[in-house]
Amino acid sequence: MKILLTGANGYVGRRLLPELLSKNHEIICCVRDKNRLGLDKTTLDSITIWEVDFLEEVSLENIPQDIDVAYYLIHSMSSSTQVFDAMEAKAAENFNHYMKHIGVKQVVYLSGIVNNNTLSKHLQSRKNVEDILYQGNYNVTVLRAGIIVGSGSSSFEIIRDLCEKLPFMITPKWVLTKTQPIAIRDVIQYLMGVLLKEECYNDSFDIGGPNVLTYKQMMQLYAKTRGFKNWIYTVPVMTPKLSSYWLYFVTSTSYKLAMNLVDSMKMEVVCKDNRLQKILGIKPISYTDAIKLAFIKIEQNLVISSWKDSLVSSEFQHNLSEFIQVPTFGCLKDEQKIKIENPEKVLDNIWTIGGTKGWYYGNWMWQLRGFIDKLLGGVGLRRGRTHPTHLDNGDSLDFWRVILANKEEKRLLLFAEMRLPGEAWLEFRIDEQNVLHQIATFRPRGLFGRLYWYSLVPFHFFIFGGMIRNIAK
């Protein structure tokens, strides 16, 4: 069947795509920026890409036709702590407008469980999107999930950060809230199972795993599964704002996402029924099994997608193509070059930079800069990298975003997502004469931007010089 996959470069979309392709469906991937899709050539040759931003004015040019099923996997929770609900509503309304002209039989929406009459802003927004989609001229199937557990999921990575880094925790009272986590593999099963299933039309279903747990129990079970113990003490005086800062500084989440998560964590999210489980004959796996499966993927470097690589992990909300041309006018540069003997080995060194391997020289200075960035409200270094040796366009890399990763052209271009009084690029390139070029470009914003750059020139002399020499070894 012909399937439209919105949010194709998001965490769930990246997991769902290979499963759909394995069933020989015709897939149209719907993304704002095709450069961020980060798929191998075989997969790219198997799909069609429709580049569209549902927050922009509707344009009917080059729209696909005769779609059987559309997956609606668009969320804006990390974009703002104030207006993300308006953004999500606008995207859903524009989606409906497109669907009128495309012709679609079924729309499948992955939403959140709504148990309370008084909902968090996040869950209220998800419910509002449901209501908007039900107004469309198609059959709607809504799957309502709580915490999704899997390698690279935001919930799993936050729990992992907390438990691995803090054996003793003083926690807010929302850790006693009940939730019903579900493994990402089960979410994919449900998303696949409802395809053109008429008994699932125009209905909403709760989906969850077999365990109802508090967030405290989830952290304790995580520690037990990993073979260590943690001590968690709850206090009633930690405000939502203080809780958000706690998550922001200890984990790799952004402050905006932390604020919205804390707001939602106060609400109990437990399945009201298991109708869809019975309809589709799915037996969900336990929370501890989901953790074990996640670590199998992590240890084998088989993590398909990570929330850190999506735009939710930073404030970077632009198309990559806007930054792929490094500017020259009004810019300050540090350019290093060195002749190399083994370009393939050097290219491998470039492609493994950052994350646990570090930056080849002065790692403590990079770590200090990451700590300062966190204090200033930036992303810091905690995101690391999803894969130790592989990079795709759009991946996060510590406090950088991969703008271009092309091994054939022997070029890696990074754009800074740290807090800066300007914009910064870092480029690595090997030319035809086997010369490695390392170019740091900074476009300052006003006088303070220039003062910032010149104050760091002495450090650049050591950091960038040492970095290119070690990469070239």
Side-chain angles (χ1 to χ4, degrees):
M1 67 185 73
K2 197 172 181 180
I3 296 174
L4 179 69
L5 179 61
T6 70
N9 52 4
Y11 176 73
V12 176
R14 288 283 294 270
R15 301 294 177 111
L16 183 58
L17 178 57
E19 297 298 325
L20 293 171
L21 288 174
S22 71
K23 301 297 182 183
N24 297 317
H25 295 303
E26 181 182 350
I27 309 300
I28 300 170
C29 287
C30 183
V31 292
R32 286 191 298 174
D33 182 1
K34 63 183 180 183
N35 294 311
R36 286 198 60 249
L37 206 44
L39 300 173
D40 59 81
K41 188 177 185 305
T42 303
T43 304
L44 286 172
D45 291 342
S46 305
I47 63 173
T48 303
I49 299 174
W50 179 30
E51 205 170 18
V52 60
D53 186 346
F54 287 105
L55 292 175
E56 299 294 332
E57 184 178 347
V58 172
S59 171
L60 301 180
E61 186 178 355
N62 299 322
I63 64 171
Q65 294 293 328
D66 301 321
I67 300 294
D68 293 303
V69 179
Y71 283 102
Y72 192 81
L73 304 176
I74 299 171
H75 304 298
S76 303
M77 189 171 69
S78 68
S79 303
S80 167
T81 58
Q82 302 296 325
V83 298
F84 73 86
D85 51 344
M87 295 169 66
E88 291 192 337
K90 183 178 180 180
E93 288 165 358
N94 285 345
F95 175 83
N96 274 354
H97 192 97
Y98 278 112
M99 293 306 106
K100 287 179 184 178
H101 297 273
I102 288 176
V104 60
K105 299 174 185 175
Q106 180 191 23
V107 169
V108 181
Y109 172 47
L110 182 60
S111 183
I113 294 176
V114 287
N115 286 152
N116 298 30
N117 292 326
T118 304
L119 300 174
S120 68
K121 192 172 183 178
H122 160 224
L123 291 175
Q124 182 59 60
S125 178
R126 296 285 172 92
K127 180 63 171 63
N128 186 42
V129 168
E130 285 185 33
D131 295 339
I132 293 170
L133 295 180
Y134 272 116
Q135 296 169 17
N137 61 335
Y138 44 72
N139 299 296
V140 184
T141 302
V142 178
L143 305 184
R144 295 172 171 172
I147 296 290
I148 296 177
V149 181
S151 56
S153 76
S154 59
S155 304
F156 172 78
E157 294 296 342
I158 287 171
I159 289 172
R160 182 185 178 190
D161 274 348
L162 290 172
C163 295
E164 300 280 355
K165 295 173 182 176
L166 299 175
F168 298 92
M169 281 184 256
I170 306 297
T171 60
K173 60 183 179 181
W174 53 254
V175 300
L176 302 179
T177 305
K178 290 181 179 179
T179 186
Q180 193 165 348
I182 181 171
I184 181 62
R185 64 184 295 168
D186 290 331
V187 173
I188 300 302
Q189 278 197 80
Y190 281 116
L191 288 169
M192 295 281 291
V194 298
L195 283 172
L196 293 184
K197 203 167 188 66
E198 292 187 9
E199 56 191 307
C200 299
Y201 284 178
N202 302 315
D203 205 349
S204 299
F205 302 91
D206 290 349
I207 59 173
N211 309 116
V212 177
L213 305 164
T214 65
Y215 291 103
K216 181 177 179 178
Q217 289 171 327
M218 287 177 67
M219 289 188 283
Q220 289 171 329
L221 281 172
Y222 174 94
K224 184 178 179 181
T225 304
R226 293 284 291 144
F228 61 87
K229 184 172 176 59
N230 56 7
W231 290 265
I232 303 171
Y233 304 95
T234 306
V235 294
V237 294
M238 195 175 289
T239 65
K241 191 167 187 177
L242 190 58
S243 298
S244 302
Y245 279 121
W246 178 67
L247 279 182
Y248 169 67
F249 281 111
V250 176
T251 74
S252 52
T253 185
S254 67
Y255 178 70
K256 289 179 181 178
L257 183 57
M259 279 284 288
N260 292 322
L261 285 173
V262 167
D263 188 38
S264 295
M265 285 172 173
K266 296 181 291 184
M267 306 294 171
E268 187 173 284
V269 283
V270 177
C271 296
K272 295 175 183 175
D273 62 68
N274 297 311
R275 286 182 299 142
L276 193 58
Q277 181 180 328
K278 295 174 183 177
I279 291 172
L280 302 181
I282 292 173
K283 186 178 180 181
I285 65 173
S286 70
Y287 172 66
T288 53
D289 284 342
I291 293 172
K292 292 174 184 176
L293 286 172
F295 271 97
I296 290 173
K297 295 291 186 182
I298 292 167
E299 290 161 2
Q300 295 178 350
N301 294 322
L302 295 174
V303 180
I304 297 173
S305 63
S306 171
W307 78 279
K308 298 175 187 178
D309 293 329
S310 68
L311 297 185
V312 303
S313 69
S314 72
E315 295 182 0
F316 188 84
Q317 299 296 325
H318 303 275
N319 287 344
L320 297 185
S321 54
E322 295 178 31
F323 299 92
I324 202 165
Q325 292 295 329
V326 182
T328 56
F329 181 77
C331 292
L332 303 167
K333 289 192 176 186
D334 181 284
E335 186 168 356
Q336 312 267 343
K337 56 185 178 180
I338 188 172
K339 181 75 174 178
I340 58 176
E341 296 180 359
N342 189 339
E344 294 305 318
K345 174 66 167 60
V346 173
L347 199 62
D348 288 341
N349 288 343
I350 294 170
W351 248 249
T352 55
I353 199 168
T356 56
K357 189 165 189 176
W359 290 83
Y360 288 98
Y361 186 85
N363 278 329
W364 70 270
M365 287 185 275
W366 288 94
Q367 291 164 3
L368 177 62
R369 182 63 181 88
F371 176 72
I372 293 171
D373 191 55
K374 268 286 187 180
L375 292 179
L376 295 175
V379 295
L381 291 178
R382 288 203 179 100
R383 293 185 307 184
R385 51 183 294 159
T386 300
H387 195 281
T389 61
H390 182 76
L391 289 174
D392 278 320
N393 297 348
D395 283 1
S396 64
L397 178 56
D398 290 337
F399 46 43
W400 301 89
R401 179 74 59 177
V402 178
I403 299 296
L404 177 68
N406 191 321
K407 269 201 165 182
E408 292 182 3
E409 295 181 2
K410 300 177 181 177
R411 186 183 179 213
L412 177 66
L413 179 63
L414 309 176
F415 181 78
E417 293 188 317
M418 66 196 84
R419 294 282 185 173
L420 288 171
E423 297 166 328
W425 290 257
L426 181 60
E427 180 178 3
F428 300 94
R429 176 171 52 86
I430 301 174
D431 65 21
E432 294 178 354
Q433 285 73 44
N434 287 342
V435 174
L436 170 62
H437 297 261
Q438 175 188 283
I439 307 168
T441 303
F442 184 65
R443 182 161 60 186
R445 192 180 302 118
L447 177 61
F448 182 64
R450 284 168 171 77
L451 291 174
Y452 169 84
W453 174 267
Y454 288 118
S455 69
L456 292 176
V457 166
F459 298 98
H460 291 168
F461 177 78
F462 293 103
I463 294 173
F464 291 138
M467 184 165 67
I468 193 172
R469 288 192 300 272
N470 289 336
I471 289 174
K473 288 181 180 179

